[in-house]
Amino acid sequence: MSTAEYRAQEGTIDPGRIAERARPQIVERGLRARPGGWLGWITSTDHKKIGVMYLIATFMFFVVGGVEALMMRLQLGAAQNTIMDGQTYNALVSLHGTTMVFLFVVPVLAGFGNYLVPLMIGARDMAFPRLNALSLWLFVFGGIVFYTSLFFTPPEAGWTSYAPLSDDAFLPTGGIDAWIFLVHLTGLSSLIGAINFVATIHNMRPKGMGFGRMPLFVWTILIYAYLLILALPAIAAAVTMLLTDRHFGTGFFDPTAGGDPLLWQHLFWFFGHPEVYILILPAMGIVSEVLPVFSRKPIFGYSFIAYSGVAIGFLSFTVWAHHMFATGLGDFANGAFATGSFLIGVPTGVKIFNWIGTMWGGSLRFKTAMLFAVGFIAMFIIGGISGVSLASPPVDFQQTDTYYVVAHIHYVLFGGAIMGMFAGMYYWWPKMFGRFLDEGLGKVHFWLTMVGFNLAFFPMHWLGTEGMPRRIYTYFPDMGWNFWNMMSSVGAYILGISVMVLVGNMIYAYRRPREEMPDNPWDAATLEWATTSPPPAHNFDAVPVVYSRYPLWEDRHPVEGGQPAVIAAAAPHTSIDERSHPADTQVAVGEGESNAHLATVEADHGEHEAGHAFHLPAPTIFPMILAFGLLLIAFALLFSPPILKVTFLITGVIYFVVAIYGWVKQISE
Amino acid sequence: MASPCQIDRRHLAALLALGALLGLLAAAPAAFADILTPEDGGGSPPAERTDVLYEITLWMALPIFLLVEGVLIYSLVKHRFRRGAPEPAQVRGNTRLEIGWTVGAAAILVVLTVITLAFLPGIRDPEAGGAQRAGAVAVAATDQPDVPPGGPSLNVRVVGQQYIWRYDYPGPGRLFAYHRMVVPTDTTITLDITSQDVQHSFWIPELFGKADAVPGHINDMWFKVTEEGVYRGNCAELCGENHAQMIGEVEAMSPDRYRAWADRQRSDIRTAARALADQRRRMQAQQGAGEGSLLRQ
Amino acid sequence: MAVVTQSADALTDRAPTGLESLDVRKLGMWAFLGSECVFFGSLISMYFVNRPLMFSPALEAAHLTPKTILNIPFTGVLAFILLCSSLTMVLALNAMQQSRRRAGSFWLLATAFLGMLFLGGQAIEFIEIAHEGITLQNSVFGQSFLLLTGFHGTHVFVGIIWLLSCIPRALRGGFHAGNYIGPEICGLYWHFVDVVWVVIFTIIYLI
Amino acid sequence: MAPGGNMAQRDTHSNPGVGGPLGGHGDNVEHASHPTARFYVLIFFILLAVTIAEVFVAQEPFLGIFEGIGVPIAVPLLILAAVKFLMIAAFYMHLKQDSRAFSAFLIAGLILAMGMLFTFGGLFTAHSREPFDQIAWREQLAQNAGTTGTSATTGGGGH
C-alpha cells in the first residue's frame, strides 16, 4: 500500500498531521567515518542497529522454537504415536521451552526496548552503547552455546531443569551444561541490558518528560529492567550451584549428600515468577501504545496503567512458591502464597479494564497492529482467568503439571506476549525499515493466528482437566484424549502457517520498491514518530522538549492547566498555538517552520552540542570479542577431550583479556 | 485495496465470528471438567472438595469472563471507525470509575481467597481417623488392638523411582506392592510420599490432587474411597525418558477382600525372599566369597 | 464516562529532569549492586537453610561443626583488614577530589594491597580447613561455606584488578577535582564487597 | 518504584555524564559537601569498635550473659552488623548525600535478599526433611575415594 493510498483511506485524519512532520536539517558534524556493510553491523554501537539485530536473532530463534513445537505436536497428534521416543521428546520439550523463554521473548522485548526507548524519550542512544553491544553478543553466543548441544545430546530436563534430574547422576550428558551456560550468558546479557535501560530511562529523558509523561512502553521497559536486575541473580546463583554439583563434586541439590532439591525449585522460581512478568509487561506496554493511536484517543487512566505495572512488579516477588504448591509447603505457606497470587490479579484486571476504557468511545481503526492488540486483550483475559484458578492451591493440586498449565502459559505467553509483539511489529515496522508490512497479508496472519492459536491451546484446558499430564511423549488411546490432541495439533500447524505468512509478508515488504515513508504514518503521538522513518544515526538533531504525554498530539490535547512552566522556561516565545499545525497545511512543512521548540532547544543546548557534535560512540568490535571469549570458555567446560578443553580455555581467556584491554583503552582515548 | 465500506462489513463479520468463538470457549470448560467433576471418583473427599471449589471459582469467573469479553467486543463493534465521524472525545480517565473497578476486582478476589483458604485444610489434611497418622494402625493388621477414633485408617508409604511406584504398607511382616496400590474402602488412607532418585509427582486424579515425591523429603496426601474400583494416574513431574510410562494405580476393595489380598501378598513376598536367599547361598557356595560380594545388598 | 478528570493522573507532569541530573555510570553501578545484593542473598540463604545440617549431634561429638572449625579471631583480623581497605579507599577518593595526585595514588595502592592481604588470609583459611578434612566435596558445611566465601573472594579479586588498573591513570593525574568518577565507582564496588563481608562475618562466623 | 523527581535537587555530586566529564567544573557547592578525611577516619574507628565488640559478644562471657537473659546471641550480632552495614553505605558509599535513587537500588536489593533469607528459613523448617547423617556420608565418601576415586555426587541411594 502506498503512502497516498494510505492517506486516502484515512480521509478524516487531519492532513496536516499526516504530512511530514517538520524536522530540522540533519547535520553530521565531526562524526568519524563508520565502517559499512556487515562489519558496520557487528561493530555497531547504535541502539537501532543493535535493536534490529536483536529482533532478527530472536525471530530466528522463534522460528526454531516453533519448529520444535510442531515436531512435538506431530508426535502427540495421535495416541501411542511412534515418531519419536521419550528421550527425543524430552529434548524437544527442553529446547522449545528454553528457546521461547530465554532466547525469544526476553530478548525480543530487549530488542524492541533497545530500538524504541531512546527514540521514545528523545535520546541519542542508550546510556552505555558499548555495553549494549555486549549484551547483544552475549545473548547471541548464549543461544549458540545452547544449540551446540544438538551436536551431542540436548538437555532433557525441561526448561526448569529440576534437580536432581538435572544432576550428573541422572543426566551426565553435556546438554544440561549447555543449558547452564545459556542461562549464564543470556542472564549476564539481560542484566547488562537491564542496567542500561534503567540508566537510560532514569537519566536521559529530555526536558519536560517527568515520570508522568513517559510513554507507557517506557514505563513497562523500566519495570522489566528492575525485575531483571533483582530476579536474575537468584537463578545465576542456582545454576552456579548446579554447575558445581555436576562438575566439582558438591551436592547442593543432591539429597544423598545433604542437599535439597527444593532449594533449586525455590531459587529457580524466585527468579522464574518475576520472569513471567518480565515476559508480559513490555508486551502490555506495546498494547498501551498501540491502542490509543488506533482509537484516536489517549490512554484511559494513564496512572492506573503505570502504577498497576509497578504493583505487578512488586507482587511478582511474593508469589513464587505457587509453582510449588504440590511439593507440600504446608497449609500456612500455601495460603500465604495463594493470597499473593490472587492479589496479583487485581492490577492485571485493572489494566484490562483501562484498555477497554481506552477503546470505549474511540474511533477504532482495525489496522493489523490494532487487531493484534485487541487479540492480546481477548486472549490475555482467558490466560488471566485460568491463572486465577491455578492460584488456588487445591485446584492447583489437580491442574498443575497438566495440559491445563500448558494452556495457561500459552494463553499468557503466546496470546499475551507474542500477540503484543506482533502488534508492535506491525506498528513500528514502518519506523524501523521505512516500509509498511502489507495490511492484507497482515490480516490473513492475524486471523490464522487467532484460529490456529485457539484451536491449538484451548482444547488443552480440557485435556488438562481430563488428567493429561504435560511432558509425556505418548498416551494410551483409552484415556479420552485422542480427539482434542488431534485438534490441538491441527491448530498448531495452522499457527505454523500463520508464521509463514508473516515471514512472507516481511520478504514482500523487503522486496517491494522503497517509497518515501512519512515520519508519522499512523498519526501517532510519541516522540519516535517525530524523526524520520527510519531515523538517522543520531535520532534527533535537537533534543526535543516535551510538554505533555502526547507530544505529537498537542494540537488535539492542549496541555492541562494552561501554559506549562517548561514552555515559559525553555521557549518563552512559543505557545501551544504556534506549535500546532494549521489545519489546512497539506504539504510538508519546510525547514523554516522547524517545530519551534526543537529550534529553541538547539539554541538552549548550543554550548553542549557545539563542542562534540552529537557525541555518538565510536563503533567497536571489543564487546563482540569479549562475548566470544566467554563463549569459548563455556565451550572449554562443555567439551570433554582435554586437548579441546585446554585450547578453548586458553583462547577464550586470551580473547577475554584482549577485549577488556582494548575496550578500556578505547574508552580512555 | 477494497473500498472502506466493504472493509467495515468485513470487520463486523470478523468481530461477530470472534464473539461466537469466545462464547463457545466460555461455555466449554464447564462441560469438560472431567477430573474436577469426578462422578466416578468413588467419593474421595479431597477430589470432591476440590471439585466444589473449582466449580465455585468457575461460576465466579465465567460471568466476569463473559462480561469483560462482551464489553470488549461490543466496544469494538460500536466504536469502530466510521467515515466522516468527528474525532472522538479525548477522555483521559475517570478516577471514580477506575477506583471502582479496582476495588471491585479486589473484592471478588478477596472473596475467592477467603473461600479457598476455608477449603484448603479440608483438602490437604486428613480427616479424623487419619489424624494420628504417626501412630496410625493398619486395619489389615487385625491383631493390633486400638483402632484410632473417628474410623479406620491406613498409612502407606509411596516411593517413586524411575519409572515405577512402590507402596510400603505398615504392620508386621513385609508388605509392599509395585504399580498398583490396593486399599480397603471406607478407610482414610494417608500417604507418605517420597522418591529415591529424581522428583516424581504422585497423582490419581479421581481421588486426590498431586503430591510431589521429592527425594529427601516426605510429602503427604490422603484419600478415602467408598466404592470399589481401579483408579489410574500418570506421574506428573518430568522424571526422565520414560516419564510417560510411569503410571500408578489404586485399587479399592472391601476390607475383607483387602485383608485376603494382604495375606496373600505377604506370603508371596516371604516365599520370594526365601527363594532369593537360597539362590544367594548356592551362588556363594559355587563362586566363592569374592564374587559373591556382588550380591551384597 | 464523559467526565474528563485530570486529578486521576496522580503522576503529575513534573518539572524537567534534564539530561544531567545523575551520573549514568554511578546509576548503573548502583543498579548492579542492587543485583549483587540478591545474588549474595541467594548464597547466604543457601547457607542458612543448610545450617541445621551442620550442627547434628554426631558432628558436635566429632568437633566438626563450623563453631569448632572456624577460627574467629583470625577472621576478625581479616575483617579488620577489609575495614581498613574501605578507609583507604575513601581516603583515595577524598585525595582525588582535592586533586592530590600522589596521595590518591598511594591510597589506591594501599587499598589494593590490603585487598591482597585479605585474599592471602582467605587462602590460608581454606588450606587450614582443608587440613581439618573439610572440602568442597565432603561436607554440607564445606560446600556451602566454600561457595559463599569463594564468591566473595572472587569479588575481592576483581576489585583488586580494578583498583590496580586505576593506578596508572591516577599517577598521571588523570583523576582530579573535576573528574573522579572512575575511582568513585570502583570505590562503590569495593565498599560493597566490604559490606558483604560484614554480613558474612556475622552470619557464618559469629552466629 | 521510581524515586521521583526531586533527585535532581538532591544530587549534589553533579558529575554531568552525558555531555562529557568536565561539565560540572567550577561548582562550589559540590566541594563543600565532601566529607573530610578526618570524618572518614572517625567513622573508621567507630566501625573498628563495633567489629571488636562483635568478636567479643560472640565469645564466652557475653554469650552466656545473653543466653542467660533469654536473648538469642544472633540478635545483638545482627544489630551490630546492621550498624556497620548502614554506616559504610551511608558515609563511605556516600548514600547520605547522594541521590535517593541510589539508595533505592540498595534497599530494593536488601529487602529482597532479607525477604528471601527469612522466607526460605521459614519454608525449609516447614518442609519435612529426611534426616541426613553427615558423618556416615563422609565415611562413605572416603571409602569411595579410596576404592574407586570417583567424585561424590553419585545419587540414587535409597534406604
Side-chain angles (χ1 to χ4, degrees):
Chain A
M1 184 176 49
S2 75
T3 314
E5 265 177 300
Y6 177 75
R7 285 186 203 166
Q9 206 184 321
E10 299 294 308
T12 56
I13 295 184
D14 173 5
R17 271 188 277 118
I18 291 277
E20 268 81 328
R21 201 59 185 181
R23 57 170 186 274
Q25 196 185 13
I26 292 161
V27 279
E28 300 206 345
R29 285 166 295 177
L31 288 184
R32 264 187 235 174
R34 276 149 194 279
W38 61 273
L39 198 62
W41 282 88
I42 65 168
T43 60
S44 180
T45 48
D46 180 355
H47 73 97
K48 295 180 289 299
K49 282 190 170 174
I50 290 173
V52 168
M53 285 190 281
Y54 256 118
L55 294 178
I56 293 171
T58 49
F59 193 79
M60 276 151 72
F61 283 124
F62 173 57
V63 171
V64 172
V67 169
E68 286 154 2
L70 292 182
M71 286 163 76
M72 283 191 279
R73 281 318 316 174
L74 201 63
Q75 162 72 10
L76 289 176
Q80 289 186 319
N81 218 342
T82 50
I83 295 169
M84 59 184 72
D85 58 5
Q87 201 179 0
T88 318
Y89 185 86
N90 288 350
L92 284 173
V93 164
S94 316
L95 288 170
H96 169 74
T98 311
T99 304
M100 288 305 189
V101 171
F102 290 103
L103 294 175
F104 175 54
V105 181
V106 173
V108 81
L109 297 170
F112 273 109
N114 249 306
Y115 196 99
L116 294 165
V117 164
L119 284 170
M120 282 181 146
I121 63 173
R124 292 267 146 71
D125 205 321
M126 299 285 280
F128 308 107
R130 296 177 198 85
L131 285 179
N132 206 17
L134 177 63
S135 58
L136 168 74
W137 294 114
L138 282 172
F139 147 68
V140 170
F141 292 139
I144 288 175
V145 79
F146 182 59
Y147 269 94
T148 47
S149 70
L150 282 182
F151 297 108
F152 37 99
T153 39
E156 289 160 41
W159 81 278
T160 49
S161 285
Y162 270 17
L165 180 60
S166 55
D167 231 333
D168 57 346
F170 300 100
L171 288 175
T173 60
I176 300 290
D177 297 316
W179 184 87
I180 291 171
F181 296 131
L182 161 107
V183 174
H184 270 141
L185 289 181
T186 58
L188 195 57
S189 152
S190 296
L191 177 64
I192 293 169
I195 290 174
N196 214 340
F197 280 129
V198 165
T200 308
I201 295 171
H202 264 285
N203 221 31
M204 295 175 67
R205 282 168 292 138
K207 279 199 193 290
M209 190 184 275
F211 278 104
R213 282 181 187 165
M214 230 157 60
L216 284 164
F217 178 68
V218 180
W219 260 106
T220 51
I221 285 285
L222 183 64
I223 300 163
Y224 158 95
Y226 273 104
L227 291 184
L228 279 173
I229 289 172
L230 296 172
L232 276 171
I235 197 178
V239 293
T240 307
M241 288 180 222
L242 187 61
L243 189 70
T244 59
D245 271 15
R246 289 176 63 83
H247 293 287
F248 304 110
T250 58
F252 291 109
F253 307 124
D254 178 2
T256 60
D260 194 337
L262 289 181
L263 179 63
W264 169 266
Q265 294 188 29
H266 278 297
L267 285 174
F268 183 87
W269 289 116
F270 190 88
F271 151 81
H273 202 78
E275 171 84 349
V276 308
Y277 294 99
I278 289 166
L279 301 173
I280 194 70
L281 275 170
M284 290 173 160
I286 292 176
V287 169
S288 308
E289 293 299 326
V290 171
L291 284 179
V293 171
F294 294 98
S295 308
R296 314 303 314 150
K297 215 171 144 269
I299 194 89
F300 189 87
Y302 174 94
S303 44
F304 269 73
I305 293 196
Y307 277 148
S308 62
V310 177
I312 289 174
F314 272 119
L315 288 174
S316 69
F317 281 106
T318 64
V319 298
W320 78 87
H322 71 207
H323 296 266
M324 303 169 58
F325 283 149
T327 57
L329 299 171
D331 283 356
F332 179 76
N334 274 351
F337 283 106
T339 309
S341 311
F342 279 123
L343 215 59
I344 215 163
V346 177
T348 318
V350 164
K351 272 183 191 283
I352 288 169
F353 299 147
N354 275 303
W355 287 325
I356 296 176
T358 306
M359 288 187 283
W360 190 272
S363 173
L364 309 183
R365 285 157 171 83
F366 293 103
K367 296 286 171 210
T368 311
M370 178 67 167
L371 285 177
F372 273 110
V374 172
F376 170 100
I377 302 174
M379 296 301 103
F380 190 74
I381 294 170
I382 299 176
I385 285 182
S386 58
V388 168
S389 79
L390 286 169
S392 164
V395 179
D396 182 81
F397 294 153
Q398 287 285 10
Q399 290 174 337
T400 187
D401 279 325
T402 68
Y403 264 82
Y404 193 92
V405 167
V406 180
H408 168 71
I409 193 181
H410 285 92
Y411 266 86
V412 287
L413 281 191
F414 198 112
I418 295 180
M419 287 266 203
M421 187 211 87
F422 283 152
M425 238 165 97
Y426 281 90
Y427 179 57
W428 281 302
W429 196 272
K431 176 56 63 187
M432 291 176 179
F433 302 108
R435 297 172 168 95
F436 285 105
L437 283 174
D438 187 76
E439 280 291 311
L441 281 175
K443 275 166 190 157
V444 172
H445 173 210
F446 171 73
W447 286 109
L448 278 178
T449 305
M450 278 302 265
V451 171
F453 169 73
N454 281 301
L455 190 58
F457 295 112
F458 206 87
M460 288 183 182
H461 288 112
W462 307 326
L463 289 172
T465 41
E466 283 176 31
M468 182 169 172
R470 64 176 182 169
R471 293 168 170 179
I472 55 171
Y473 77 98
T474 187
Y475 51 91
F476 291 107
D478 62 341
M479 301 301 289
W481 302 336
N482 302 5
F483 177 71
W484 287 117
N485 267 309
M486 187 64 190
M487 287 298 103
S488 179
S489 294
V490 171
Y493 277 85
I494 296 177
L495 212 49
I497 293 169
S498 84
V499 174
M500 279 162 68
V501 172
L502 173 64
V503 173
N505 200 346
M506 290 174 176
I507 294 171
Y508 181 59
Y510 179 73
R511 294 180 65 111
R512 233 173 355 177
R514 185 154 178 184
E515 55 194 283
E516 202 196 333
M517 173 62 64
D519 288 357
N520 189 2
W522 309 118
D523 189 22
T526 37
L527 276 184
E528 78 271 26
W529 302 101
T531 183
T532 54
S533 317
H538 59 285
N539 296 349
F540 302 95
D541 292 342
V543 179
V545 172
V546 172
Y547 300 89
S548 73
R549 255 171 224 160
Y550 295 107
L552 306 191
W553 278 3
E554 277 165 7
D555 46 347
R556 297 196 302 154
H557 296 263
V559 177
E560 320 86 278
Q563 200 87 322
V566 187
I567 293 179
H573 59 281
T574 42
S575 71
I576 300 150
D577 290 334
E578 278 171 14
R579 278 183 294 108
S580 66
H581 295 276
D584 56 352
T585 318
Q586 193 120 36
V587 286
V589 237
E591 204 194 319
E593 214 253 4
S594 188
N595 243 11
H597 63 274
L598 298 185
T600 327
V601 179
E602 176 86 86
D604 206 35
H605 282 238
E607 64 247 355
H608 279 292
E609 301 294 346
H612 13 69
F614 288 121
H615 205 77
L616 291 176
T620 168
I621 190 73
F622 294 117
M624 189 196 187
I625 293 181
L626 200 162
F628 189 66
L630 289 178
L631 173 76
L632 292 181
I633 293 172
F635 277 160
L637 295 166
L638 208 53
F639 291 111
S640 40
I643 181 76
L644 273 182
K645 255 188 197 313
V646 172
T647 320
F648 275 131
L649 190 66
I650 292 173
T651 8
V653 169
I654 290 173
Y655 271 97
F656 184 80
V657 171
V658 165
I660 292 212
Y661 180 75
W663 188 332
V664 170
K665 202 154 187 280
Q666 199 175 33
I667 294 176
S668 48
E669 267 171 12
Chain B
M1 188 108 251
S3 86
C5 201
Q6 280 170 319
I7 289 173
D8 270 1
R9 208 170 301 138
R10 213 171 60 204
H11 279 155
L12 196 62
L15 289 169
L16 289 177
L18 178 68
L21 178 72
L22 291 175
L24 210 72
L25 293 184
F32 278 87
D34 251 26
I35 293 311
L36 293 155
T37 49
E39 56 279 343
D40 52 356
S44 174
E48 301 257 293
R49 287 169 197 166
T50 305
D51 172 46
V52 173
L53 180 61
Y54 176 68
E55 292 202 340
I56 293 172
T57 316
L58 188 67
W59 289 115
M60 282 174 76
L62 215 52
I64 298 169
F65 169 73
L66 288 176
L67 185 76
V68 179
E69 296 275 12
V71 172
L72 173 67
I73 291 166
Y74 176 79
S75 71
L76 293 184
V77 177
K78 173 129 193 296
H79 302 290
R80 72 188 186 280
F81 164 67
R82 286 186 179 84
R83 187 152 276 280
E87 282 278 275
Q90 300 297 309
V91 180
R92 296 173 131 247
N94 182 325
T95 314
R96 254 176 300 178
L97 189 65
E98 288 168 60
I99 291 176
W101 64 46
T102 310
V103 172
I108 291 168
L109 287 169
V110 165
V111 170
L112 210 51
T113 311
V114 170
I115 294 172
T116 303
L117 294 185
F119 267 83
L120 184 57
I123 291 169
R124 197 73 179 83
D125 306 332
E127 282 179 347
Q132 303 99 316
R133 208 182 59 234
V137 175
V139 273
T142 41
D143 48 335
Q144 294 291 323
D146 48 338
V147 174
S153 75
L154 173 67
N155 175 245
V156 181
R157 184 178 171 97
V158 181
V159 185
Q161 67 190 73
Q162 285 173 328
Y163 301 93
I164 199 166
W165 295 101
R166 192 179 78 233
Y167 313 104
D168 289 328
Y169 291 74
R174 286 184 79 191
L175 177 55
F176 58 84
Y178 282 95
H179 180 64
R180 176 175 287 189
M181 181 194 325
V182 179
V183 297
T185 51
D186 295 312
T187 307
T188 296
I189 315 291
T190 57
L191 305 174
D192 285 349
I193 300 163
T194 187
S195 162
Q196 53 170 264
D197 40 37
V198 303
Q199 190 179 331
H200 305 276
S201 189
F202 191 56
W203 181 39
I204 308 292
E206 284 157 338
L207 302 180
F208 52 84
K210 284 168 209 75
D212 287 352
V214 186
H217 286 275
I218 302 164
N219 200 353
D220 50 77
M221 191 36 93
W222 72 285
F223 66 98
K224 184 176 179 179
V225 197
T226 49
E227 287 167 38
E228 297 199 350
V230 178
Y231 308 90
R232 184 157 67 160
N234 278 64
C235 167
E237 187 68 64
L238 181 64
C239 57
E241 55 179 312
N242 291 334
H243 166 57
Q245 274 104 354
M246 186 163 171
I247 288 169
E249 284 179 342
V250 168
E251 181 175 3
M253 46 178 73
S254 69
D256 289 340
R257 286 184 58 211
Y258 168 75
R259 262 185 292 265
W261 170 84
D263 291 342
R264 200 172 56 247
Q265 185 82 353
R266 264 197 210 93
S267 80
D268 285 355
I269 290 167
R270 258 197 310 275
T271 316
R274 273 196 214 108
L276 190 67
D278 287 347
Q279 193 182 11
R280 184 180 293 140
R281 262 195 302 278
R282 271 202 309 280
M283 286 182 76
Q284 274 172 339
Q286 278 172 8
Q287 299 172 348
E291 285 165 54
S293 68
L294 286 174
L295 289 168
R296 202 172 53 203
Q297 266 184 327
Chain C
M1 186 79 101
V3 187
V4 183
T5 48
Q6 289 145 19
S7 55
D9 301 330
L11 299 163
T12 51
D13 297 339
R14 288 211 185 86
T17 49
L19 276 168
E20 54 255 27
S21 54
L22 297 172
D23 188 285
V24 281
R25 287 164 288 183
K26 227 155 110 181
L27 189 66
M29 184 35 113
W30 274 109
F32 175 70
L33 294 183
S35 190
E36 287 277 67
C37 278
V38 183
F39 183 77
F40 279 104
S42 306
L43 292 179
I44 291 171
S45 300
M46 174 273 291
Y47 185 90
F48 194 67
V49 300
N50 283 339
R51 202 167 172 272
L53 291 182
M54 304 169 195
F55 287 90
S56 72
L59 285 172
E60 301 266 15
H63 296 289
L64 281 173
T65 62
K67 283 267 173 238
T68 44
I69 295 162
L70 296 174
N71 185 348
I72 293 177
F74 180 74
T75 329
V77 173
L78 290 186
F80 170 73
I81 289 172
L82 216 49
L83 207 57
C84 290
S85 80
S86 255
L87 176 67
T88 55
M89 188 70 232
V90 276
L91 292 179
L93 181 63
N94 191 279
M96 282 167 196
Q97 283 168 342
Q98 295 161 10
S99 301
R100 291 188 288 128
R101 176 171 61 91
R102 295 180 56 149
S105 311
F106 171 77
W107 288 123
L108 273 186
L109 199 62
T111 312
F113 174 73
L114 288 168
M116 286 185 232
L117 218 54
F118 175 83
L119 273 190
Q122 209 171 27
I124 290 171
E125 189 185 19
F126 285 6
I127 291 167
E128 256 175 25
I129 66 166
H131 277 306
E132 301 218 20
I134 303 288
T135 63
L136 199 58
Q137 284 87 17
N138 78 348
S139 70
V140 174
F141 168 67
Q143 63 193 29
S144 313
F145 173 81
L146 290 173
L147 191 80
L148 176 53
T149 52
F151 260 104
H152 179 264
T154 314
H155 278 72
V156 175
F157 178 75
V158 171
I160 291 170
I161 302 285
W162 192 348
L163 285 167
L164 291 178
S165 73
C166 282
I167 287 173
R169 185 166 168 190
L171 282 172
R172 284 200 309 270
F175 303 115
H176 47 78
N179 174 22
Y180 45 83
I181 190 74
E184 188 175 9
I185 292 176
C186 180
L188 287 179
Y189 176 85
W190 190 260
H191 295 307
F192 179 76
V193 172
D194 182 20
V195 148
V196 170
W197 188 253
V198 167
V199 176
I200 290 178
F201 181 59
T202 308
I203 288 191
I204 292 190
Y205 290 88
L206 295 181
I207 290 178
Chain D
M1 177 159 285
N6 58 348
M7 59 177 76
Q9 291 91 306
R10 279 181 53 85
D11 181 37
T12 52
H13 265 253
S14 74
N15 242 330
V18 182
L22 291 165
H25 200 45
D27 191 351
N28 293 332
V29 188
E30 176 190 339
H31 293 279
S33 72
H34 291 311
T36 57
R38 184 189 296 269
F39 176 75
Y40 288 135
V41 175
L42 180 72
I43 298 292
F44 170 76
F45 280 112
I46 298 174
L47 289 171
L48 187 60
V50 176
T51 308
I52 292 168
E54 276 184 326
V55 175
F56 273 95
V57 163
Q59 305 297 328
E60 205 20 84
F62 297 97
L63 204 63
I65 292 171
F66 276 108
E67 269 157 20
I69 58 171
V71 178
I73 192 67
V75 174
L77 283 174
L78 286 177
I79 291 172
L80 290 176
V83 168
K84 275 168 77 176
F85 190 109
L86 292 177
M87 283 181 69
I88 294 177
F91 301 117
Y92 283 3
M93 297 167 95
H94 305 115
L95 277 183
K96 197 161 178 301
Q97 70 259 44
D98 255 352
S99 164
R100 232 183 288 163
F102 299 156
S103 313
F105 282 109
L106 189 69
I107 289 167
L110 274 181
I111 288 174
L112 279 181
M114 292 199 305
M116 190 194 264
L117 188 65
F118 290 127
T119 336
F120 279 24
L123 286 170
F124 279 80
T125 46
H127 292 306
S128 61
R129 228 168 136 170
E130 279 189 330
F132 173 75
D133 189 345
Q134 178 102 39
I135 301 268
W137 179 63
R138 291 184 63 174
E139 280 164 4
Q140 182 71 40
L141 275 186
Q143 206 179 349
N144 285 354
T147 52
T148 60
T150 54
S151 76
T153 53
T154 39
H159 39 205

